[in-house]
Amino acid sequence: MTGPRRRPRRPAAKSGKTLLVRGVGKLADVGDYNALVSATMTEDVWQAQVIKEAMEQGWMVVHYRKALRQSGGYSTPVQGHKGAPDLLMARAGVVLHVELKTDTGRLSKEQKRWRDEIGPAQWRLWRPRDRDAVWAELAASPPPPGRRAAAA
């Protein structure tokens, strides 16, 4: 028995084409479609995409998942200050603290404090609309010694 089939990774669509999208209608441009996908993407889906791409590029990545409590609420079982960034990433001496948000998500007061304390050299806010820039940053940093990142 074989495992589940995986779709091959497709490059981002190029502008200049007209698309028909089920449930939406005709979009004038592929850019409209990409904007629609970006605008409706959940943070969990965005996070999964970022983690996958980062690992393919040779980054070490950690995310602390929320746990369901008996009361039905969620909590992240860590000690310390609230609002820590979603991802901690490292590669070749470069460390990034990444906060992920939807295209319309806002930083909490605690997340802004983390941003200010970490500083712009290591703190990032990544949104689905910035996908191309995020992928470029993940690919740009040098891979660790003795390891090569996946071909772009």
Side-chain angles (χ1 to χ4, degrees):
M1 183 173 180
T2 61
R5 284 183 42 188
R6 292 184 179 226
R7 286 186 179 170
R9 188 168 143 187
R10 285 189 248 164
K14 296 199 184 328
S15 294
K17 296 181 182 176
T18 301
L19 297 176
L20 183 62
V21 179
R22 185 180 304 153
V24 174
K26 194 173 187 180
L27 297 176
D29 190 280
V30 172
D32 295 342
Y33 175 76
N34 291 341
L36 175 67
V37 169
S38 171
T40 58
M41 186 178 294
T42 66
E43 190 173 314
D44 288 341
V45 170
W46 175 229
Q47 178 179 287
Q49 289 182 6
V50 169
I51 289 172
K52 181 177 185 277
E53 182 66 20
M55 291 174 76
E56 286 178 2
Q57 294 295 338
W59 288 85
M60 293 187 69
V61 183
V62 67
H63 167 71
Y64 300 101
R65 292 182 179 196
K66 292 180 180 175
L68 181 61
R69 298 184 317 217
Q70 283 184 325
S71 66
Y74 286 91
S75 67
T76 306
V78 295
Q79 192 171 5
H81 294 91
K82 294 171 70 173
D86 294 311
L87 303 176
L88 175 61
M89 302 172 50
R91 186 175 92 169
V94 176
V95 176
L96 296 178
H97 303 267
V98 179
E99 182 60 41
L100 300 170
K101 291 289 183 193
T102 63
D103 283 348
T104 57
R106 295 183 178 192
L107 294 174
S108 69
K109 184 174 88 173
E110 294 87 357
Q111 290 168 331
K112 289 176 182 176
R113 176 139 186 241
W114 275 97
R115 175 198 62 199
D116 296 343
E117 294 296 332
I118 293 169
Q122 293 184 327
W123 189 89
R124 301 289 188 275
L125 172 60
W126 287 346
R127 299 177 184 274
R129 68 177 173 236
D130 304 322
R131 180 183 182 272
D132 291 342
V134 170
W135 273 213
E137 182 170 5
L138 291 173
S141 300
R147 267 181 68 182
R148 297 182 63 166

